[in-house]
Amino acid sequence: MRNVALRTTHQRLLTRCFSKLPCRPSGSPLSDHFDGRRSSPGIAPKLHRRGVKSKATLQLNELSHLSLDSVHSLPETEDDGPAYPTVVQQARSNMRKYENCVLLTRVGSFYELYFEHADKYGPLLNLKVAQKKTAAGAVSMAGFPFYQLDRFLKILVQDLNEFVAISEEFANSISGTVKSGGLLFDRRVTRTITPGTLIDEKFMDPYENNFLLALHPPDTGQPLEISSVETIPAELTKGSVPPSLISQLIGLAWLDLSTGDFFTQTTTLGTLPSAAARIGAREIVLSDSLEDSLQQSVLDMLEHQQNRVTYHSTQLTDVSMSSWTPMLEAEVPTEMQTAFTNEEVTAGSLLLAYVRDRLQGLGVKLQPPIRRQDKETMSIDRNSMRALEVLGTSKDTVRGGKGSLLHTVRRTVTKSGTRLLRDWIASPSMSLQVINARLDLVSQLLQDRTFREDITNLLRRSYDSQRLVQKFSMGRGDADDLISMLRTIEATNGIANALERHISPSDANLHLDDSDQKSHQSLQMLSRRLSLDGPNALAARIVASIDEDGLTESRRAEESKNGDIISAAQEVLQNEGSAVDQAAMSRVTKLKVKQKASPEPDAEEQDQWILRRSANIVIERLHEALEGLREDMGSLTSHLRVQLCAQSLTLRWTPGLGYICHVKGARDVAASLKTSGAAGDVKTTKTTRSFHHSEWSRLGGQIDQAKLRIRAEEQRLLQELREQVVLNLVKLRRNAAVLDELDIGCSFATLAEEQGLVRPVLNLGLDHKVVGGRHPTVKLGLEEQGRAFVSNDCLIGEKERMWLITGPNMAGKSTFLRQNALISVLAQVGSFVPADHAEIGLVDQIFTRVGSADNLFRDQSTFMVEMMETAAILNQATPQSFVIMDEIGRGTTPEDGIAVGFACLHHLYHKNRCRTLFATHFHALADMTKDFKHLACYCTDVAEGPGGSFSFVHRLRKGVNRRSHALKVARLAGIPDAAIETARMVLESFDANSPILTEAASS
């Protein structure tokens, strides 16, 4: 404390001295150190110090070595007049340097916002904005305790979609303190946090990847204009990409900093929205060179993704994958580099350059890039992903929410397993080998329930090792993370032993048929992929080093310190804050203060050690030395109690008084103190007396030094453990991948057992034969209401590759369409499917045109949106695709609607030749397509009852239902009886010779 006071006094003297100088030449580096004041060359300032009078004369050119980085300097336009305090000025400089970020500056135990950031974001964060008085004027400021950083980062980054720059404080060396004018700390931005560059923040969704996506579209160098051959009016093409660019290649690269996953892919500008929807990136990075070329087209294609789009400036010429190596856990072999396209390499270089810039030098080790190819996975375009509710429901923006396919089939018990499941569902496989391997695993786990439950219980004991390993690779893991890693390695060992027991040769295994043999082999393959030697050595080192009881106590002590900060904040609010400020303190915070235990005044503070004494020989010896010093402390206490006749005497240390002897009680020990020449009285009250004692001051300093040496050795050993985790990086990630696949396999097996699912048979044909098919999510919803789901068959293929489906509203046509698309998705994911039997030819793309929507912001009506989605289907569907279309043409006149509907059927039948389910209320289409040999008509119906009652018949039958029974549905919806009767009279009055009008009215 005395050193701090001396430095502060010295700084004030320097400032006072230089502020009196008459001239301030431009460019003097002293403006960075002496409160913004400048002096002219040749002036000899006097530097005064306390104590013996002294005089020193310096020329300003002799102080050139005191100049700091430009980040701490003021612009020339602000040099005149009083300056802000150095801490505030540092914040202002960082705000200019990171102008697109919200700056959080660490000051002691708080993070603070200044100037316009405090004014703008303080109210949004529910923080009180105060005015700090400075020589340069009032400065707005707001702050919060450091341990609440994650809470406010969530609001800023996730909710407000802002970038945040974190400015941390670093202790200055002696020379650094002089250079900064006496400041004990320097403040530098250590990291800029964006939605796509989260690492281990507590508010991250543990069940979803946090992807950052970079795009590299080709720069044609020409302004974007509609092709001269395009005849569509320009006002109707707003938000669309010129046809000449639809098939242009574009490079994608995306990664998750929290797991180290890294992917690349080449796609086209036309399919970019579908790829972006599948990836689900939180942030998208573009090169700033695209702002005047392809920017608008790319943004239009991504407008539905609701991502933060960021522009980054970097050199993208002559890029190569060799520049990626420092950020990868292993170099990509030269022979594999040739598989990556130029677009992918450029996109990857842009992505990594952006990450390096945001991490501010923080090291990162990513997994080698995995190249995705369109033909490797089923393509589910953006509209289909939304219409089928694959990852989230169409009613809200919560991904994986109740009602979605992901939520319905998820039985995973690990966080990383859930993330992998999402990736599989968004990108179903096109490889029969991969799909059958997954199905074999599910079959094996389904057969042996006890084995499956054992694996599931072991998985529950594991932690998110993918994110744990990545955290250590970035130097951020702590002792708690090491314990979590230990538990995961132990769970992995248990799983390895369970697999070994299950696949070991036995008499029963010798007589397995071919299918059971394949299922058995799936477990053997997983078992061989586990690498345990290195991780087991790491686990043994962690067990031998970390004291879990001490770690728990250390955590409690930290919570107690946080409680002290909360108590201080509450005291300030009670004394100075308004009623609104006091009410802003959350109930949770108040509870923490109430639950904080008050230590006994005389209780000796217990040191909490993270590592065991036996962790290594150095720590053991240091503890022995500390114990010896504590014995000396006890002996000194006994000696002083006898010498001073004070049995209540204790030896203490306080922040303000240092090492003191404390006596409580009414007994006056003044006479005894006088006889003891080594004591000095420092504080006396009516009931207590505190005084210094030279022997205790010396011994207390030795004890503190011993503690510091132990903590330094603990940190050194913890760093060794972190490095050992990094050395086992590859093995730990491979083991984690095996655990994730087992988790999904157990999840699918549990789901199959619960819902009575069957194993699908997949082939390279074009058939879709599903017997007794059910909608996976609708069925569960009906069962919750106590209702039964009516299953249906769907047998389309070479003989009948297109079904034209008619029937009443609310009779299940749309459900039937969607359930067959979802069954194809589940089958190629590797799950059993909701049916009695399923034989499915691989589907390369799924397309849907269902529902109605508009985009008024882009001047696109409901019918225009419908036609754009239809155009995508007709232009992209292949014979291997699966298409469902519902009520095409309903957004225009009946005549035009029938014409458009027939044109779509004709094109899909003769050109695309794909498997199609086409639902319509235009019954004339059945007559117009009667010559289509591979088209069959099916319908649902209504069963009439006595007294006007009716019920829907959801079972499909062959034929055409020419009545849509719209008035029955209208009555169910609550349309007044008078309106229903009027509609009935109009319907009956239509001329029988006007079939189109009759159809329009009945539908």
Side-chain angles (χ1 to χ4, degrees), residues 69-85:
D69 296 337
S70 60
V71 70
H72 301 295
S73 62
L74 281 170
E76 293 298 329
T77 56
E78 295 190 8
D79 285 344
D80 296 332
Y84 295 114

Side-chain angles (χ1 to χ4, degrees), residues 451 454-455 458 493-503:
F451 172 66
D454 290 342
I455 295 293
L458 288 167
N493 274 285
I495 290 173
N497 293 332
L499 290 173
E500 189 65 28
R501 290 193 302 268
H502 193 77
I503 63 180

Side-chain angles (χ1 to χ4, degrees), residues 441-487:
L441 177 62
V442 177
S443 297
Q444 185 67 29
L445 293 169
L446 182 61
Q447 293 174 8
D448 194 333
R449 183 175 184 178
T450 301
F451 172 66
R452 182 176 76 244
E453 290 177 348
D454 290 342
I455 295 293
T456 301
N457 290 332
L458 288 167
L459 288 169
R460 293 183 191 275
R461 300 178 192 174
S462 66
Y463 288 78
D464 194 346
S465 54
Q466 292 279 14
R467 285 186 169 170
L468 279 175
V469 170
Q470 183 66 6
K471 192 174 180 180
F472 280 106
S473 74
M474 305 183 76
R476 298 169 66 91
D478 55 20
D480 286 304
D481 296 321
L482 286 169
I483 294 298
S484 299
M485 183 62 67
L486 169 64
R487 297 289 174 260

Side-chain angles (χ1 to χ4, degrees), residues 751-880:
L751 177 71
E753 186 176 70
E754 290 177 359
Q755 304 297 323
L757 310 185
V758 299
R759 174 170 179 161
V761 178
L762 289 107
N763 52 55
L764 298 176
L766 299 177
D767 291 335
H768 180 92
K769 299 179 180 178
V770 176
V771 178
R774 307 178 292 276
H775 194 294
T777 60
V778 174
K779 176 180 178 293
L780 291 180
L782 290 176
E783 288 176 349
E784 290 180 357
Q785 304 172 28
R787 300 164 58 190
F789 184 90
V790 177
S791 61
N792 270 299
D793 301 341
C794 181
L795 307 174
I796 57 177
E798 290 295 333
K799 183 179 180 180
E800 296 177 353
R801 65 170 180 267
M802 181 178 292
W803 278 18
L804 180 65
I805 304 169
T806 56
N809 300 97
M810 294 290 293
K813 299 189 303 297
S814 297
T815 299
F816 177 75
L817 266 59
R818 288 177 169 92
Q819 80 184 32
N820 282 283
L822 291 176
I823 287 173
S824 295
V825 171
L826 285 177
Q828 292 184 218
V829 166
S831 169
F832 284 23
V833 298
D836 297 331
H837 174 77
E839 185 176 341
I840 299 172
L842 289 180
V843 176
D844 64 349
Q845 301 177 88
I846 283 185
F847 294 100
T848 65
R849 164 78 287 280
V850 297
S852 62
D854 55 29
N855 190 345
L856 300 182
F857 180 75
R858 296 294 182 186
D859 290 340
Q860 295 170 357
S861 67
T862 301
F863 185 68
M864 181 61 179
V865 172
E866 178 184 327
M867 290 297 99
M868 291 175 64
E869 294 177 0
T870 302
I873 297 174
L874 300 183
N875 287 322
Q876 299 177 31
T878 71
Q880 206 174 0

Side-chain angles (χ1 to χ4, degrees), residues 374 381 432 872 932 941:
D374 290 336
D381 72 332
L432 285 177
F932 291 9
D941 212 338

